[in-house]
Amino acid sequence: MTTREIATHLARTSRAFPLLGEITREDLLTLVTTDLGHPDSLDDFQPCGTHRARAIAPRTILHVISGNTPHAGLQTLLRGLLLGSHNLCKIPRTGAPELNAFAAALPPVLANRVEISSDLNDEWLTHADALVVFGDDDTIAHFRALTRPDQIFVAHGHRVSFGVIFGDHAGAAPAAARDASLFDQQGCLSPHLFYVARDARSFAARLAHEMEAFEKHSPRGKLGPSESAAIAEVRATAAFRAAQGEEVALWQSRDSTAWTVIFQNSTAFIPSCLNRVIRVLPLPDDLPAALAPVRLHLSTVGIWPVTDEIVARLADTGVSRICPLGNMQNPPLTWHADGQRALAPLVRWLDWES
Amino acid sequence: MSGRVLAAEIELETAVLAFMAGDRTASFEELALRVFRFQQEHNAPYAAFCGSASVGHWRDIPAVPQSAFKHAALRCFPAEETAKTFRTSGTTGEGFGEHHYRSTRLYDAAVLTGWDALGLPLLRQFVLAATPGEAPHSSLSHMFGTLGARGAQKYYAPDAFDVAELAADLEESREPVALLGTALAFLAFFDRLGVRKLNLPDGSFAMETGGYKGSGRDITKAALYARFGDSLGLPPESIINEYGMTEMSSQFYTRGLGAPHAGPPWVRALVIDPETGRDAVPGAVGVLRIFDLANLGSVIAIQTHDLAIACGEGFELLGRDPAALPRGCSRAADELLSR
């Protein structure tokens, strides 16, 4: 099967998965072109400087998928299929229903290139030419240690994201609420906090209103006692500090932990306990200093509004992605996850000099 | 401090001490409300937190989160009258909390009366902890030091003690002994003992306390107690777990495996549903809220972050459940920043 044929099948299957965004055959071929130089690089030798070259995909890719966002799992499988590889997907014990549904929706020619299991057998590890691992530092270290020198290893570690609002609070608030609520904040593209250029406190009040609205049409998932307790503690601490006259304010859902907004007049990045707990801080003059504690873990910054000047201001903060607020959870197919190219690290090249 | 305030505090302190000693002229309910009103009047940060909350029953007394001790000096007396300050370990990146005392009379009485209620024999104590002198701000060392009134003590500083010396001291004991320390200190001791097994004289017991926060270790209580058996020959019934914290002046105890923690008559524990802030339904997991009369000089009601299930007057302690924390590529605060 050629890359173009595969792209046709994948575009058709993806239509039933709005989670992936709108993906056309052309989008998929653009991804191949961006990463490998030509849409047919995997099928035929293509001009490459003074010679010709062909990309060789791994025969088998082992994807180690984490449970927090279905999106990352679907994307990595999609890429593996696009490369023409056989895909072994190790999913969490808690399951990955979206991935199973996607595999089931594939035409048989592609479906037989996917195996999904929550158990990892040694055969999979031995068999794989490449490993793509999502997870925390321990998971990544674990699989890195199991990888042979001849196997390709691509890691996606844990990341944190945030947003910056420079103006137009009314427009920004619903977009911010969407980014902070989707996937219950479990993904690496979920914002932990928003920095606001002017009058952060009044933005926090608007955001609270929008978090409530989002909760009404898309209620947060049920939490375990430990996660609920973490939210209760964050809220009680904010309430205590506010009572002491500190510049802290708290907005929260009633009789539940469904959503929480905390305004705090401080600047250093504060990671959230997640599950729709979001802080609003004033934008500091020295943003890189405020981000220093998490610099090595930064992923996306969502901005509002989008201007060249704002993009230039945020380009050197250590993030690997800048996007409009409201779109934080929807990276394009061609995005460089964690600053890496999607397909290029997985292939090797065969040169032909005539 | 004005004479009137001091007199009010001493009168309450005397009443609580009498209650600890078994005098029931005043009930827990009555004393709890008196302590609360005293604190509302003299502890400004706590009063600000309580606002105009109307309190008719000890259950309604507003509980401060443990973190409050990091953000305000929660005391009912002027700072210059502080005689003792205990500090929390401060592993979450927000700095440490402080619990101030004008006197440790109530604290010490709580430690000894609570301990005596366990009905343990007076034994020579081997303590795996820093001495109170070495760690003047550790409430745990202070508690161990106070228990010195119930047996001669020898201390072995964790991380630094000579394993051979402790092993020899234990092996030479002809009389039963008491071993006191944190769970982590015991684990380190067992690790360093290796396969060697010391057999403590019959009637010996151990008291372990504390979790594994920030240590990177996580073992079940059953596994920990199995190691007490392997290394010291102690059966679970001879091991006592103490549940306490810097923010609290009294202790809860349980013996062996499977029994709930129980506190002395001057404390109460509620299990709260963190979703709603109200009592958890019976049998359900919630967060522990403690009411401790011995916290007279600070705040009577503390909202802990420990998970528990209510069990009669006591509770089954689950601690912080690491398996319930969010997994995957986005991580919550302490985990991310601890790396």
Side-chain angles (χ1 to χ4, degrees):
Chain A
M1 220 182 334
T2 65
T3 307
R4 290 171 192 267
E5 286 163 352
I6 294 174
T8 307
H9 286 307
L10 288 178
R12 200 171 292 151
T13 307
S14 298
R15 255 183 253 151
F17 293 83
L19 193 63
L20 281 166
E22 240 176 74
I23 295 179
T24 64
R25 174 178 183 271
E26 283 61 43
D27 293 334
L28 290 161
L29 294 176
T30 301
L31 173 61
V32 180
T33 309
T34 318
D35 255 27
L36 306 179
H38 192 282
D40 302 318
S41 281
L42 287 152
D43 307 305
D44 279 311
F45 287 96
Q46 303 299 335
C48 175
T50 58
H51 66 285
R52 292 200 278 177
R54 186 182 146 193
I56 313 286
R59 267 170 310 172
T60 305
I61 303 174
L62 170 59
H63 307 265
V64 179
I65 292 159
S66 71
N68 53 344
T69 54
H71 188 259
L74 281 182
Q75 266 205 347
T76 189
L77 174 58
L78 192 76
R79 290 167 180 167
L81 287 168
L82 185 59
L83 285 171
S85 304
H86 189 78
N87 296 274
L88 307 171
C89 304
K90 155 79 180 78
I91 58 169
R93 297 207 185 286
T94 45
E98 294 84 358
L99 204 73
N100 284 305
F102 185 80
L106 288 166
V109 280
L110 288 180
N112 64 22
R113 293 181 180 180
V114 182
E115 293 177 60
I116 300 175
S117 168
S118 60
D119 291 312
L120 180 63
N121 55 51
D122 290 344
E123 213 176 297
W124 276 21
L125 268 174
T126 318
H127 233 73
D129 302 306
L131 283 84
V132 180
V133 180
F134 294 82
D136 60 21
D137 290 353
D138 291 342
T139 307
I140 289 170
H142 173 77
F143 282 99
R144 198 186 292 277
L146 293 175
T147 306
R148 293 190 310 265
D150 62 293
Q151 291 172 311
I152 293 166
F153 186 81
V154 175
H156 295 285
H158 55 253
R159 291 284 183 268
V160 295
S161 297
F162 65 102
V164 184
I165 292 112
F166 287 85
D168 178 22
H169 287 187
R178 174 186 153 79
D179 284 338
S181 299
L182 277 180
F183 305 126
D184 293 349
Q185 226 177 347
Q186 300 280 315
C188 27
L189 306 180
S190 300
H192 283 244
L193 55 77
F194 295 114
Y195 286 112
V196 179
R198 271 177 301 279
D199 201 2
R201 194 179 185 123
S202 76
F203 178 76
R206 267 182 197 273
L207 177 61
H209 184 76
E210 297 297 338
M211 292 294 286
E212 171 77 31
F214 199 96
E215 168 69 17
K216 277 209 180 102
H217 65 74
S218 308
R220 192 202 58 196
K222 216 171 143 43
L223 300 187
S226 195
E227 290 167 305
S228 292
I231 296 174
E233 189 188 349
V234 164
R235 288 175 167 191
T237 303
F240 182 84
R241 295 181 67 184
Q244 305 312 308
E246 289 189 54
E247 287 185 79
V248 174
L250 170 70
W251 294 262
Q252 61 187 59
S253 54
R254 263 190 210 190
D255 284 333
S256 81
T257 60
W259 61 267
T260 307
V261 176
I262 297 170
F263 161 78
Q264 198 170 318
N265 191 10
S266 62
T267 57
F269 192 98
I270 307 164
S272 165
C273 64
L274 312 181
N275 296 308
R276 302 192 181 177
V277 174
I278 189 93
R279 282 193 177 77
V280 175
L281 310 184
L283 178 66
D285 292 334
D286 189 353
L287 187 58
L291 297 174
V294 288
R295 187 178 165 89
L296 298 176
H297 294 281
L298 286 174
S299 170
T300 295
V301 56
I303 56 174
W304 191 277
V306 182
T307 68
D308 290 353
E309 192 196 338
I310 290 171
V311 170
R313 194 171 154 189
L314 291 166
D316 294 324
T317 50
V319 298
S320 62
R321 178 172 164 243
I322 303 172
C323 73
L325 209 64
N327 266 350
M328 291 181 70
Q329 309 282 4
N330 308 99
L333 199 59
T334 45
W335 79 303
H336 296 99
D338 300 349
Q340 305 175 55
R341 291 213 275 179
L343 304 178
L346 290 168
V347 304
R348 62 183 183 82
W349 290 91
L350 172 62
D351 286 341
W352 171 22
E353 296 151 44
S354 52
Chain B
M1 192 173 208
S2 81
R4 191 182 59 80
V5 178
L6 187 60
E9 185 179 344
I10 288 174
E11 192 193 327
L12 257 178
E13 188 186 75
T14 308
V16 174
L17 282 169
F19 187 87
M20 284 181 179
D23 180 349
R24 292 293 177 271
T25 316
S27 65
F28 174 86
E29 166 83 33
E30 194 183 331
L31 284 172
L33 292 175
R34 279 175 65 192
V35 168
F36 168 64
R37 288 189 182 121
F38 170 78
Q39 293 174 345
Q40 245 191 335
E41 201 174 326
H42 301 294
N43 183 337
Y46 182 43
F49 176 71
C50 294
S52 55
S54 91
V55 173
H57 191 275
W58 63 266
R59 290 169 170 268
D60 305 326
I61 296 174
V64 297
Q66 270 178 274
S67 63
F69 287 81
K70 292 177 184 170
H71 296 287
L74 289 163
R75 60 187 145 210
C76 301
F77 47 87
E80 60 272 20
E81 288 182 20
T82 305
K84 192 76 190 167
T85 296
F86 296 135
R87 289 191 186 137
T88 63
S89 53
T91 52
T92 54
E94 273 190 322
F96 50 79
E98 291 191 321
H99 194 171
H100 306 288
Y101 292 84
R102 196 177 58 78
S103 135
T104 59
R105 268 193 300 274
L106 274 178
Y107 191 103
D108 298 345
V111 168
L112 290 175
T113 315
W115 181 258
D116 291 346
L118 292 171
L120 297 165
L122 299 179
L123 302 179
R124 176 136 198 248
Q125 297 174 7
F126 295 85
V127 187
L128 278 63
T131 65
E134 288 161 352
H137 297 297
S138 159
S139 57
L140 191 64
S141 283
H142 182 88
M143 180 185 83
F144 286 142
T146 308
L147 290 175
R150 296 293 182 264
Q153 290 185 322
K154 183 169 177 184
Y155 282 77
Y156 303 82
D159 310 328
F161 71 86
D162 181 352
V163 174
E165 184 194 338
L166 174 55
D169 286 348
L170 291 173
E171 281 195 314
E172 282 162 18
S173 297
R174 295 284 162 265
E175 301 295 315
V177 299
L179 268 165
L180 317 179
T182 61
L184 270 179
F186 279 114
L187 274 179
F189 176 44
F190 300 153
D191 283 350
R192 289 163 71 189
L193 268 182
V195 292
R196 190 169 163 197
K197 180 167 181 174
L198 310 171
N199 274 310
L200 301 185
D202 281 349
S204 298
F205 68 86
M207 189 260 269
E208 55 91 14
T209 185
Y212 310 100
K213 197 165 77 173
S215 68
R217 296 196 76 144
D218 179 26
I219 74 167
T220 64
K221 192 171 168 182
L224 174 68
Y225 282 22
R227 298 202 58 186
F228 273 96
D230 294 342
S231 294
L232 303 173
L234 283 178
E237 312 82 75
S238 299
I239 309 166
I240 293 148
N241 172 268
E242 184 260 357
Y243 172 72
M245 62 188 65
T246 306
E247 296 85 351
M248 214 160 78
S249 302
S250 301
Q251 294 79 30
F252 291 80
Y253 294 102
T254 179
R255 199 166 176 154
L257 293 165
H261 278 80
W266 60 91
V267 300
R268 293 286 186 277
L270 293 180
V271 175
I272 303 293
D273 177 353
E275 266 308 304
T276 62
R278 293 187 287 271
D279 281 15
V281 293
V285 177
V287 280
L288 260 187
R289 182 176 293 175
I290 309 285
F291 301 81
D292 182 359
L293 295 183
N295 263 9
L296 171 63
S298 55
V299 175
I300 182 172
I302 309 293
Q303 182 57 59
T304 77
H305 21 63
D306 290 312
L307 298 180
I309 300 170
C311 211
E313 290 290 289
F315 51 84
E316 186 190 330
L317 185 66
L318 306 173
R320 284 192 143 180
D321 175 13
L325 291 172
R327 286 174 296 270
C329 65
S330 187
R331 283 306 179 98
D334 35 354
E335 218 172 332
L336 188 68
L337 297 176
S338 69
R339 286 171 192 274

